[in-house]
């Protein structure tokens, strides 16, 4: 039985024309197995396919507003997308170079790298409050178990107290 990565590797191209996908993890996953990616030149498309990592099809503004955050929707330029598909079919050597660049790039954008960056940001935020991750975990566990409230960070004032900038 083929797994998801095996199935992605069998594809000639992965197309994501959604513009509200955020980062677009399915495209990154396809790039990681050497499948050519096409996305709109909008939202996360340039992040995924820019810098020679994929194909970017133009997007068009249909002049309507979507229901999510009242954002202006964009649709893919279908004719341009078809032109790009034709180009990819006629230029297998350039497609191979694109997919190799993408594969190398997504190797640097792994979940482990993202998790490390998140942990570093959390540690920086805790350090700015005079805490370590272990101390914060201990305080959180005590609070969740109904223990005493955690001590205030150094220099914090009770709610409603004047701050140095409001004096």
């Amino acid at each position: 039985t083929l797994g998801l990565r095996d199935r992605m590797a069998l594809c000639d191209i992965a197309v994501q024309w959604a513009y509200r996908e955020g980062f677009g993890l399915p495209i990154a996953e396809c790039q990681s197995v050497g499948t050519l990616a096409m996305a709109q030149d909008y939202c996360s498309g340039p992040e995924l396919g820019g810098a020679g990592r994929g194909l970017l099809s133009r997007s068009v503004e249909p002049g309507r507003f979507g229901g999510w955050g009242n954002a202006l929707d964009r649709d893919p330029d279908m004719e341009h997308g078809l032109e790009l598909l034709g180009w990819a079919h006629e230029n297998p050597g350039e497609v191979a170079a694109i997919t190799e660049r993408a594969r190398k790039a997504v190797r640097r954008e792994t979940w482990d790298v993202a998790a490390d960056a998140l942990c570093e940001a959390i540690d920086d935020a805790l350090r700015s409050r005079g805490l370590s991750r272990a101390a914060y975990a201990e305080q959180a566990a005590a609070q969740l178990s109904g223990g005493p409230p955690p001590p205030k960070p150094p220099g914090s004032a009770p709610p409603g107290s004047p701050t140095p900038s409001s004096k």
Side-chain angles (χ1 to χ4, degrees), residues 12-152:
D12 292 324
I13 187 168
V15 178
Q16 179 176 308
W17 276 343
Y19 47 85
R20 293 185 184 161
E21 182 61 29
F23 177 69
L25 189 56
I27 290 294
E29 289 171 334
C30 285
Q31 288 173 323
S32 76
V33 297
T35 298
L36 179 63
M38 182 193 309
Q40 286 193 64
D41 64 353
Y42 181 64
C43 198
S44 63
E47 184 178 359
L48 295 163
R53 292 173 48 177
L55 304 178
L56 294 175
S57 65
R58 289 187 297 260
S59 56
V60 294
E61 292 184 22
R64 60 184 158 77
F65 288 92
W68 186 55
N70 223 14
L72 182 62
D73 288 341
R74 293 190 182 212
D75 292 330
D77 181 332
M78 300 295 262
E79 287 192 30
H80 185 241
L82 291 173
E83 288 172 18
L84 290 172
L85 287 174
W87 177 88
H89 178 73
E90 294 169 6
N91 295 280
E94 291 191 47
V95 166
I98 290 170
T99 58
E100 186 55 28
R101 264 192 305 276
R103 187 191 326 245
K104 286 178 181 176
V106 295
R107 282 188 189 137
R108 294 185 302 268
E109 297 170 2
T110 66
W111 285 111
D112 289 338
V113 170
D116 289 346
L118 178 61
C119 286
E120 186 176 326
I122 290 169
D123 288 343
D124 288 347
L126 290 171
R127 272 193 298 277
S128 74
R129 289 167 178 78
L131 297 170
S132 68
R133 204 182 312 173
Y136 179 78
E138 186 178 304
Q139 289 178 7
Q143 194 172 19
L144 289 172
S145 68
K152 300 282 185 214

